[in-house]
Amino acid sequence: MITLTKQDARRFILKKQGLLSRDFSGKESILSFVKQVGCLQYDPIDVVGKNAELVLFSRIENVEKRHLHELLYTERKLLDQWDKNMAIYLTEDFPKFTYVRNHNLVHYEKDMLDRSAIHEVIAYLKNHDGVTHHDLAMGELNNRFTWRTNKLAQAVLDYLFFKGDAIVYNRDNTKRSFALTKNHLDETLVEEVNPHTDQASYQAWHLLRRIGAMGLLWNKRSDALLGIVDFKQHERKLAFERLIQEGKIYPCSVEGIKEPLYYSAEDQPLMDAIKTHKVSVSKRLEFIAPLDNLLWDRALIKAIFDFDYTWEIYTPAIKRKFGHYVLPILYKDKFVGRIQMNSAALTKTLTIENIWIEDDVDQAFSGLLNERLSAMATYNGCTTIVNNSTYNIT
């Protein structure tokens, strides 16, 4: 079993995450990055960009917010779908989630009693794109608990989405509209046979996907495994064992961590490069999104990076240690602090509310911080930066 120092482990993860060196640039490289990590977690909260937009900002040079929207809703090379909770993944991966959609079908169909309503919505979708519940004159739904809405039309649209018969056609801020899947995706993707023959094969595939997304992962309960269907402790154990037996993952040990960590066999060349010190570390500073792939297992990040992060947006204000939307600051191969900022479209102003520096930084840090703040302002369409923090920026 390979033994890694914590520094080795950090650099392996960061290289895998596209955060150690500048590996991606421009709109089309978004697809390469998503392929590398599997998916981006979607969250609608927008303080200085939505979660997925912030993930891309920290990885992709010359990226604009519109690029993601175009790839999702114009070119449809990406899909707004279900993976790690609501997520964004490559359109070509659509058939691989057939097992997930079939599971959703069983879960939701028992509460979708009005079959005539389903047929009515499908008939409407055949000739209309960008459909919302406002376009459908239907009544109310008795079972609000399952659907989180009392609108029958919205429940049917959600049902068709979870089933895979409808896709998100567009998002206007947080508002979704829908269209028939077969009207917009290639027929071969829609009709492709489920590649997973049973639950065990599906779970092993999805676990491997998450290990690849993280870089390193342990066989423990983890938020990095959210969204894998019926994946309890026993199933997780069997899936790890299966992947080990099939030679698809390898164990390694990291100094100071009792449990073995696992990495994808496909990443062995990267592991070899890390062990032989052939991976360089650039002077790079990034702001990391609260639901960034890197932070999917915060206990693991604490163990490897010695950095404790809690997203305090749902923490009562009186109990918050930092703020409701604070981003960790990654500098070279370590977390060195946190920043709270917000953008105002009306005044085109990026406001720095607070900066906490928690580790030693060198002279290059301040210059790189200013560069990334300027880039963040541009990314959000801001022309002015206001610093309300006590940290001196120029």
Side-chain angles (χ1 to χ4, degrees):
M1 184 188 301
I2 292 175
T3 299
L4 302 175
T5 64
K6 284 190 176 182
Q7 184 181 73
D8 289 337
R10 290 197 302 269
R11 293 180 176 181
F12 180 88
I13 290 172
L14 293 175
K15 182 66 176 177
K16 177 68 178 175
Q17 291 278 341
L19 286 165
L20 201 62
S21 55
R22 295 289 182 186
D23 300 327
F24 303 96
S25 180
K27 176 180 172 180
E28 290 303 311
S29 72
I30 293 173
L31 302 174
S32 300
F33 173 67
V34 175
K35 186 177 184 67
Q36 181 165 305
V37 297
C39 74
L40 311 177
Q41 190 166 346
Y42 177 81
D43 187 84
I45 297 170
D46 189 343
V47 178
V48 284
K50 299 180 184 69
N51 184 76
E53 294 168 341
L54 292 174
V55 173
L56 296 180
F57 175 76
S58 65
R59 269 61 167 210
I60 317 290
E61 289 187 293
N62 305 311
V63 69
E64 300 174 31
K65 287 184 179 181
R66 65 179 178 87
H67 291 160
L68 180 59
H69 193 276
E70 290 168 358
L71 290 170
L72 277 164
Y73 308 118
T74 303
E75 301 172 31
R76 304 206 184 277
K77 294 178 180 178
L78 295 172
L79 278 179
D80 185 337
Q81 273 285 339
W82 193 263
D83 185 350
K84 186 183 182 289
N85 301 331
M86 282 306 302
I88 295 165
Y89 60 68
L90 294 175
T91 300
E92 65 188 45
D93 286 347
F94 183 75
K96 300 173 184 177
F97 286 86
T98 304
Y99 188 92
V100 177
R101 291 191 293 273
N102 288 343
H103 174 268
N104 290 336
L105 181 63
V106 172
H107 178 71
Y108 289 109
E109 195 156 47
K110 67 179 185 298
D111 291 317
M112 182 52 65
L113 303 179
D114 194 339
R115 309 304 302 178
S116 62
I118 296 175
H119 296 313
E120 181 181 343
V121 173
I122 291 175
Y124 189 84
L125 287 170
K126 285 180 179 178
N127 299 305
H128 299 84
D129 288 332
V131 176
T132 72
H133 73 86
H134 296 292
D135 301 308
L136 301 160
M138 292 184 170
E140 296 195 347
L141 188 70
N142 292 328
N143 192 346
R144 184 187 179 115
F145 176 77
T146 297
W147 299 103
R148 299 181 182 179
T149 179
N150 62 353
K151 304 296 184 183
L152 176 59
Q154 185 62 59
V156 175
L157 288 169
D158 286 339
Y159 165 76
L160 293 173
F161 168 75
F162 284 120
K163 185 182 178 184
D165 288 347
I167 60 169
V168 177
Y169 179 78
N170 194 24
R171 277 189 189 264
D172 181 7
N173 292 322
T174 60
K175 296 178 181 178
R176 298 174 299 161
S177 63
F178 297 88
L180 275 185
T181 303
K182 63 183 181 181
N183 286 354
H184 294 277
L185 298 194
D186 188 276
E187 184 179 357
T188 58
L189 285 177
V190 179
E191 301 298 331
E192 188 171 325
V193 176
N194 182 0
H196 310 302
T197 56
D198 53 30
Q199 176 175 284
S201 65
Y202 150 72
Q203 290 175 336
W205 166 80
H206 216 161
L207 173 61
L208 181 61
R209 182 179 174 90
R210 295 296 172 78
I211 293 173
M214 290 286 295
L216 294 174
L217 193 61
W218 45 23
N219 183 2
K220 295 173 66 173
R221 184 177 179 180
S222 169
D223 282 354
L225 303 177
L226 290 174
I228 302 181
V229 172
D230 293 331
F231 205 51
K232 299 181 176 62
Q233 181 178 357
H234 176 69
E235 288 76 18
R236 187 182 74 235
K237 177 177 178 292
L238 294 178
F240 268 99
E241 290 174 351
R242 177 173 179 155
L243 292 175
I244 293 169
Q245 291 170 1
E246 293 177 351
K248 293 181 178 178
I249 60 172
Y250 299 138
C252 66
S253 63
V254 176
E255 61 177 6
I257 299 177
K258 295 179 180 180
E259 301 87 351
L261 302 181
Y262 297 87
Y263 62 97
S264 170
E266 293 183 354
D267 291 330
Q268 187 61 52
L270 173 57
M271 182 61 76
D272 293 339
I274 291 291
K275 288 296 293 178
T276 54
H277 307 291
K278 294 181 179 178
V279 175
S280 60
V281 181
S282 59
K283 285 192 175 182
R284 178 177 175 183
L285 185 149
E286 300 295 348
F287 309 124
I288 303 302
L291 298 175
D292 191 291
N293 304 50
L294 178 60
L295 300 177
W296 280 358
D297 190 322
R298 290 170 189 157
L300 182 62
I301 292 302
K302 183 177 180 180
I304 293 176
F305 287 80
D306 299 313
F307 183 77
D308 191 5
Y309 176 71
T310 299
W311 190 27
E312 296 182 310
I313 195 162
Y314 301 114
T315 303
I318 196 171
K319 295 183 179 180
R320 288 175 187 154
K321 185 176 180 181
F322 296 100
H324 78 290
Y325 206 88
V326 170
L327 308 183
I329 301 174
L330 181 71
Y331 182 50
K332 294 189 279 192
D333 64 353
K334 298 195 315 183
F335 287 107
V336 298
R338 309 158 204 257
I339 185 169
Q340 181 173 344
M341 51 188 164
N342 62 75
S343 63
L346 188 63
T347 60
K348 296 185 178 181
T349 301
L350 179 73
T351 301
I352 315 303
E353 299 292 355
N354 216 330
I355 297 175
W356 299 265
I357 302 302
E358 304 169 25
D359 206 336
D360 294 335
V361 293
D362 57 24
Q363 290 182 344
F365 176 83
S366 293
L368 288 171
L369 176 62
N370 290 336
E371 287 179 15
R372 293 311 282 161
L373 287 173
S374 178
M376 178 65 80
T378 301
Y379 195 57
N380 283 278
C382 297
T383 56
T384 302
I385 299 176
V386 173
N387 182 23
N388 291 337
S389 76
T390 57
Y391 188 85
N392 184 31
I393 62 174
T394 57

